[in-house]
Amino acid sequence: MAPSSSSEPASHSGHAHLLANKWMGANKLAELVASEGLVYKKGKFSAIEIKQVNEAMQNYCTTRGLSEEDLNQIIFPSDEKKKDAVFWSEITSAVPLRPIVAVYQYVRRAHHPMKQQGKWQPEEDAKLIQAVTSLGQQWEKVAQLVGRMATDCRDRYRNHIVDREKRVNGAWSTAEEEELTRIVTTMQQGKNLDTDIFWGKVSEMMDGKRSRQQCRIKWTDSLSKKFKTDGATARWGTHDAFILVHKIDALGVRDDTEIDWKSIPDSQWNLFSAHTVQRRWLTMKKSIKGFEDMTHSEIMDILRVKYAEMPSYAKVSKVAKVPARSDEYIEDSDNDEPQAGSSTGPGTLVAEGGPDDDSE
DNA sequence: CGGGTAGGTAAGGGTAATGTATTACA
DNA sequence: GTGTAATACATTACCCTTACCTACCC
């Protein structure tokens, strides 16, 4: 495929066009990342991106005199197969680093008529169980019977219905914690990254007593920390707040929804999970009076002053003594994350240069 | 016909919002 | 000791990506 061009990486606009027009799956994307340095974005849509998408749709409608109903027909065509490639490409162009598939999925989710209906009622669970019993895991059909989005039915089923009789709630016993630690650490052996942990499997190995979500949260937010410190409890301190504020400051994002929390911890500071760190940020933010009406940079201005100095007495935050991966020490050649400048932002950028991996 | 692909569903993997129990501390 | 704010621990709705399937096109 046309490696012709020059020695320079393909132009950005060329990539933007590809992303907005070609329906590429994961493999295809990975291939382009490797072969011609394609850069694209993954992860949650930031507030800014959501706004851009909405404006693009609004614009699409007004320039063509389309009604709300027409728009709905485009997003969810009734039976006829009128593919509206123009629509999806145009909307995708509003968020340059996103592949068309991601935008397509996002918009269909966000505008689904049955979206967001809050807590599940017992009657709904009953309908769900009934539907799955008769139809099997055909979620689109099940959704019709239950009155919830297919994906929500699937989630409810796998997270709360399966093994429901065995499910245990409340605080974890020491035995359970030990069991989970054993399972997770065993699974990690021979794996390269902790992303190789399959929480559905873990839940099964716990004999269904705890759901995949319970297992995952318990491990990432609590047990992994204890494991790293050999049982010592590490509490969040001012020095941690200091580090966090300055890390976020260094990102230079326009809005905190653009922060990729997974990228915050590093080899020196990694006791707290991305989830925990994100929550700490929220707490700090909320402690500022009137934060609701402030922009991200205004909030940063205040926090920067508040945490201007590293508390001198503070012991440096403990660093994991157990390297993330078995006994091999991870060198961490200093990140060279392809932080493609500030223009990008939010979620994770996927680019050439594979960071990782070591392997053997 | 046969490979390629657009457009859809299912499965896999994860986070955000919120509630509740503990702990720190004035 | 007491009230309250911060933090730890739980719960679950909600979200995004990848795998897979199928009708359709050249």
Side-chain angles (χ1 to χ4, degrees):
Chain A
M1 335 255 239
S4 54
S5 29
S6 52
S7 47
E8 302 235 339
S11 77
H12 244 52
S13 63
H15 282 163
H17 186 263
L18 256 187
L19 287 171
N21 290 279
K22 200 141 164 65
W23 188 280
M24 297 183 284
N27 293 334
K28 191 78 188 176
L29 283 167
E31 196 184 306
L32 290 182
V33 166
S35 71
E36 47 179 282
L38 169 75
V39 175
Y40 74 98
K41 195 145 79 68
K42 296 171 82 162
K44 205 170 163 49
F45 276 57
S46 73
I48 293 171
E49 288 175 310
I50 290 170
K51 191 155 155 265
Q52 288 169 337
V53 167
N54 287 337
E55 282 171 2
M57 291 199 296
Q58 191 61 251
N59 198 33
Y60 187 90
C61 288
T62 49
T63 56
R64 278 155 239 249
L66 300 178
S67 69
E68 193 82 355
E69 188 43 40
D70 295 330
L71 177 63
N72 225 38
Q73 275 299 309
I74 294 173
I75 301 176
F76 303 101
S78 37
D79 27 41
E80 41 181 317
K81 330 235 154 169
K82 46 169 172 182
K83 327 181 168 185
D84 204 330
V86 178
F87 173 77
W88 294 110
S89 292
E90 188 170 322
I91 305 307
T92 305
S93 302
V95 277
L97 293 176
R98 296 283 183 176
I100 192 167
V101 198
V103 174
Y104 172 84
Q105 304 267 32
Y106 165 73
V107 171
R108 304 244 314 175
R109 245 192 337 271
H111 290 77
H112 195 104
M114 294 189 280
K115 83 176 281 262
Q116 287 181 351
Q117 301 189 339
K119 273 197 166 309
W120 281 73
Q121 302 306 316
E123 313 87 72
E124 291 182 297
D125 278 345
K127 272 192 209 167
L128 175 59
I129 291 168
Q130 160 88 72
V132 175
T133 308
S134 60
L135 293 168
Q137 326 241 75
Q138 302 182 72
W139 303 112
E140 284 299 328
K141 289 182 186 161
V142 168
Q144 296 303 313
L145 296 180
V146 178
R148 291 254 191 177
M149 284 178 65
T151 158
D152 290 343
C153 292
R154 192 279 307 248
D155 283 343
R156 182 68 189 176
Y157 191 77
R158 69 173 170 166
N159 291 331
H160 305 286
I161 304 293
V162 172
D163 285 336
R164 182 179 245 187
E165 336 73 54
K166 300 185 195 161
R167 194 57 38 81
V168 175
N169 287 308
W172 286 61
S173 69
T174 314
E176 282 181 311
E177 293 187 347
E178 279 166 3
E179 189 179 2
L180 180 62
T181 302
R182 185 174 48 70
I183 292 171
V184 172
T185 51
T186 309
M187 272 182 130
Q188 270 177 329
Q189 303 254 302
K191 305 277 186 175
N192 278 334
L193 305 160
D194 18 10
T195 54
D196 282 331
I197 294 172
F198 305 114
W199 297 105
K201 275 279 178 318
V202 172
S203 173
E204 257 175 48
M205 292 172 76
M206 295 279 297
D207 201 25
K209 286 185 300 229
R210 297 284 182 171
S211 74
R212 68 179 190 111
Q213 285 176 301
Q214 287 175 303
C215 292
R216 183 175 178 282
I217 296 283
K218 185 65 187 178
W219 175 257
T220 57
D221 285 4
S222 173
L223 289 182
S224 75
K225 193 171 67 178
K226 274 185 197 159
F227 185 70
K228 286 176 188 168
T229 58
D230 260 354
T233 39
R235 277 183 81 88
W236 181 264
T238 22
H239 50 288
D240 295 304
F242 171 89
I243 292 171
L244 179 56
V245 165
H246 290 273
K247 272 177 165 289
I248 289 177
D249 198 19
L251 291 176
V253 294
R254 296 166 290 180
D255 186 275
D256 60 6
T257 58
E258 301 238 305
I259 296 169
D260 175 18
W261 295 101
K262 281 195 296 298
S263 75
I264 299 290
D266 60 30
S267 58
Q268 299 303 305
W269 189 69
N270 58 11
L271 276 187
F272 304 96
S273 69
H275 182 209
T276 303
V277 166
Q278 195 265 338
R279 296 204 49 187
R280 290 281 71 79
W281 164 256
L282 209 70
T283 306
M284 277 193 233
K285 194 169 111 176
K286 282 183 178 167
S287 72
I288 298 173
K289 214 168 131 209
F291 74 95
E292 294 101 328
D293 306 316
M294 297 168 68
T295 65
H296 175 71
S297 76
E298 286 167 343
I299 288 173
M300 278 315 305
D301 287 343
I302 293 174
L303 290 177
R304 215 180 287 122
V305 171
K306 187 167 171 187
Y307 294 98
E309 285 175 28
M310 174 68 151
S312 52
Y313 57 86
K315 47 234 161 147
V316 173
S317 148
K318 287 153 228 142
V319 172
K321 60 189 293 190
V322 180
R325 168 141 98 63
S326 48
D327 34 18
E328 196 168 325
Y329 194 76
I330 296 183
E331 195 79 47
D332 207 301
S333 53
D334 241 67
N335 50 328
D336 21 288
E337 315 237 357
Q339 292 267 19
S342 46
S343 61
T344 76
T348 308
L349 278 179
V350 178
E352 183 184 18
D356 16 37
D357 303 78
D358 53 38
S359 56
E360 1 254 80

